[in-house]
Amino acid sequence: MDLIAMFHELRRGSRTTGALSRGGHLEGREQAVPPDIIDEKTWQDLAMDEVFAKLDRTVSMPGRQVLYDQMRTCEADDRVLLERARQHACFHGDARLREEIQLLLARLGDPRAAWISPLLLKDLPEVPTWAPLLYPCSFLSLACLAGAFFWKPFILPSLGLMLLNLVVNETYGRRITPYFSGFSQLDALLGSILGLAGMGEGRGLPQVDLMREAVPLVVRLRRRFGWLARDRATLPEPMPALIGYLNLLFLFDVVIFLRSVASLRKHRLVLVDLLEAVGSLDAAISVASYQTGLSHWTVPEITPERRIQAEGLYHPLLAAPVANPLHLTQRSALITGSNMAGKTTFIRTVGINVILARTLNFCLAERATLPKAMVKSSIRREDKLAEGQSYYFTELKRLREFLDAGPLHLFLIDEIFRGTNTVERIAASSAVLRQLARDHMVLVTTHDLELHEWLAEDFDMHHFSEQVVEGRCGFDYRIQPGPARSRNAIRLLELNGYPASITGEARELAEKIAAGFEGGGLPCVLKS
């Protein structure tokens, strides 16, 4: 996953600094404001690496990298999303075009193709001021060695120059060697571009149009990078070893790198666009292929309003998912229910589908209107022992970040403030959730039914419940309106063999607690 995420991390840096344009072949404009990036906590909470793996049907490493980057990046420009949906539909209806493109991209399936992105997006080593001296060092060492066959005194300057070349290789050569792998794969990228550009007119793909325009440049660059671009691992023995010794003694790699790096710097913006164009074609085919295997999916309406109107939402990672509706307009939702009934899975389902809608312009639903919101979550909580942070303090910091959030967000919160006492948990939860719901949408799971009394102005109540039938407990995983009415926790104790003394006392205490709440109090201590 590190190699796949490499392009995203590098692209994220270039977008933040404004150093590079962002996919001009699709948007046709500079990205003045960096797009929203799904943060790492939310990505992990929603198991988005697994969702990515489910969608990934790419055949090239740039395709995987671009698909990952797209899924981490919420698009602000509706035109980008419309173009992605159009291309998905195009590939749905043209299997021959899909296969033709994938055959041309297969040469980039080598994992080493991941190193093209740092070659194009990271800072290249500076050319030293003494670099012009390396050209005569290379030429003269070779000339003197050749001349020694005719006049033996040439052997001494030849040895001296080769020793100097060894020193250069051990210093500057070591700095540039990591870039050679990228150059070898860059040639495969340029070859794929030439193949895609030759597919013919009328494909309706702006990426191919960009490649067609770039053909003269691509041909020149292939010639310029020729020596560095050659994949020496494919050469028969002993050629790789022989070339290695020649490079040590005569600086061939260093000299050609110095000649090539200037061209790379000059044309890197175009090359980044070409890399993204190649990857986006593979990513679009991958999404189209994934969609063909789904029971149902839709291109959602994205609205700037705080509104979710969805039918048949389901989770992409479940083998037999239960589809559920959700209808919220200028409202948020409290979701209650017993453990394992489906509360947390449901808020994850909503979050994943909003992300898919904002990034790839489709979602797993029969129909959907979804907010143009950024998704942030506080779901998976683990004690950070090394940092001395408990569940509660980790959540405190996360929810404090939520309070400082900018434009419209969809916040997913699982069992808010679990781990503190009932009275203060309800009080703190009410205050925080009321503040968040003023400008954002919140989906929060809780066992505290009393929260609805305090938050009814901004929150709708929904629930999931278990069914106890003939001594067996089961779940239908279907969301229901209103608070959970069933009280089966003590019944489940009985079904699991707890002594009658315990279950009987539990029932008595439950009645006292319920009476206390109904009387308007929040009992902290129960007396027998």
Side-chain angles (χ1 to χ4, degrees), residues 136-146 157-158 161-162 165 249-250:
C137 284
S138 175
F139 173 75
L140 290 176
S141 60
L142 185 61
C144 289
L145 182 63
S158 175
L161 286 167
M162 285 190 286
N165 293 346
L249 300 175
F250 304 115

Side-chain angles (χ1 to χ4, degrees), residues 415-434:
E415 295 187 29
I416 186 168
F417 292 145
R418 178 182 62 183
T420 188
N421 69 77
T422 303
V423 174
E424 293 194 346
R425 181 174 67 247
I426 293 174
S429 298
S430 298
V432 170
L433 292 174
R434 186 178 290 114

Side-chain angles (χ1 to χ4, degrees), residues 311-386:
E311 296 288 344
L313 278 171
Y314 64 100
H315 197 291
L317 299 181
L318 298 179
V322 175
N324 277 296
L326 182 63
H327 299 279
L328 298 170
T329 300
Q330 303 297 320
R331 306 276 292 173
S332 293
L334 286 167
I335 303 171
T336 66
S338 59
N339 292 330
M340 300 184 297
K343 305 186 304 296
T344 307
T345 298
F346 180 73
I347 65 171
R348 283 191 171 113
T349 298
V350 177
I352 290 169
N353 277 288
V354 171
I355 289 174
L356 292 177
R358 293 287 322 280
T359 60
L360 301 177
N361 202 16
F362 84 99
C363 66
L364 309 181
E366 293 173 1
R367 53 185 175 275
T369 298
L370 300 173
K372 196 171 188 176
M374 191 67 191
V375 179
K376 286 186 181 294
S377 67
S378 176
I379 296 178
R380 178 186 299 163
R381 286 161 298 177
E382 299 172 353
D383 278 332
K384 296 184 177 181
L385 299 179

Side-chain angles (χ1 to χ4, degrees), residues 274-321:
L274 289 170
L275 173 64
E276 194 164 355
V278 167
S280 65
L281 281 176
D282 201 5
I285 293 173
S286 178
V287 173
S289 177
Y290 171 72
Q291 290 171 341
T292 59
L294 297 175
S295 60
H296 59 268
W297 59 275
T298 189
V299 176
E301 177 188 350
I302 306 296
T303 175
E305 302 172 1
R306 289 188 296 155
R307 183 153 59 101
I308 297 176
Q309 299 291 328
E311 296 288 344
L313 278 171
Y314 64 100
H315 197 291
L317 299 181
L318 298 179

Side-chain angles (χ1 to χ4, degrees), residues 133-147 149 155 157-169 227 242-256:
L133 298 177
L134 298 181
Y135 294 94
C137 284
S138 175
F139 173 75
L140 290 176
S141 60
L142 185 61
C144 289
L145 182 63
F149 286 100
I155 194 68
S158 175
L159 291 174
L161 286 167
M162 285 190 286
L163 181 61
L164 177 63
N165 293 346
L166 284 170
V167 173
V168 171
N169 260 309
W227 173 268
L242 178 60
I243 291 174
Y245 286 121
L246 291 175
N247 284 325
L248 284 174
L249 300 175
F250 304 115
L251 300 179
F252 291 160
D253 277 349
V254 173
V255 168
I256 296 173

